[in-house]
Amino acid sequence: MNIKVDTSGLDEFIEEIENEVSTAMINAAHSAVDTQKTANISNKKTYQNHTWNLRNAPGTAVFRNGKVVDMYVPADGAHGEAKEQTENMLIYGSHPQNGVVFADGMYYASFVSAKGFDVDDSARIKLSEELSKVFVKNN
């Protein structure tokens, strides 16, 4: 017995799903960076900026199939070095095949974080919240 299966349109359907997933990841990543720059929603201390480089440096990259499909580092013009350092971390640092990477390119970010201050914690919380809304089915 021969069975024929019509899979026409399946590739387009898969592509639509991939685009929806990418869009959801990008929106969540942007929201996470914006939250990190403006609010502390973590249980860590708020860092008192003097140069505003640390606050301007947060950024994110969304990777799909090993390639950057979106990079968002909204540092203002006065903090170009902070933006460049974050972009370099996002591009040349380690990253997953598929996922969202968050970075703060200031060399002292890990030191400030180790001292108990919110450097990327709010962004991670917000990213998790946003992605859970889209990808976790509530029963």
Side-chain angles (χ1 to χ4, degrees):
M1 172 190 294
N2 289 334
I3 298 175
K4 286 188 170 186
V5 177
D6 181 9
T7 60
S8 62
L10 189 57
D11 289 339
E12 291 84 10
F13 177 68
I14 291 171
E15 188 175 329
E16 280 181 41
I17 292 171
E18 287 289 328
N19 288 339
E20 288 295 321
V21 168
S22 294
T23 298
M25 292 170 69
I26 290 166
N27 290 340
H30 287 217
S31 179
V33 169
D34 293 343
T35 297
Q36 184 64 52
K37 289 182 66 129
T38 60
N40 180 350
I41 61 172
S42 75
N43 61 356
K44 289 191 165 186
K45 300 178 280 187
T46 300
Y47 181 67
Q48 299 299 315
N49 271 292
H50 299 287
T51 64
W52 288 96
N53 282 331
L54 193 63
R55 179 75 70 200
N56 269 283
T60 187
V62 176
F63 291 87
R64 301 293 285 150
N65 300 315
K67 296 184 186 325
V68 176
V69 295
D70 182 74
M71 185 179 306
Y72 181 59
V73 186
D76 61 35
H79 298 89
E81 181 181 348
K83 180 175 183 162
E84 182 180 336
Q85 290 173 344
T86 299
E87 288 172 343
N88 286 338
M89 285 183 77
L90 292 169
I91 294 168
Y92 301 114
S94 62
H95 55 78
Q97 184 74 5
N98 293 294
V100 178
V101 175
F102 182 82
D104 191 307
M106 297 312 301
Y107 66 90
Y108 53 90
S110 60
F111 174 78
V112 172
S113 181
K115 292 292 185 182
F117 291 96
D118 177 15
V119 173
D120 64 3
D121 303 278
S122 290
R124 293 178 191 282
I125 291 167
K126 186 66 171 180
L127 181 66
S128 179
E129 289 173 355
E130 294 293 317
L131 291 177
S132 292
K133 287 179 193 175
V134 177
F135 296 114
V136 176
K137 182 179 179 181
N138 294 326
N139 292 327

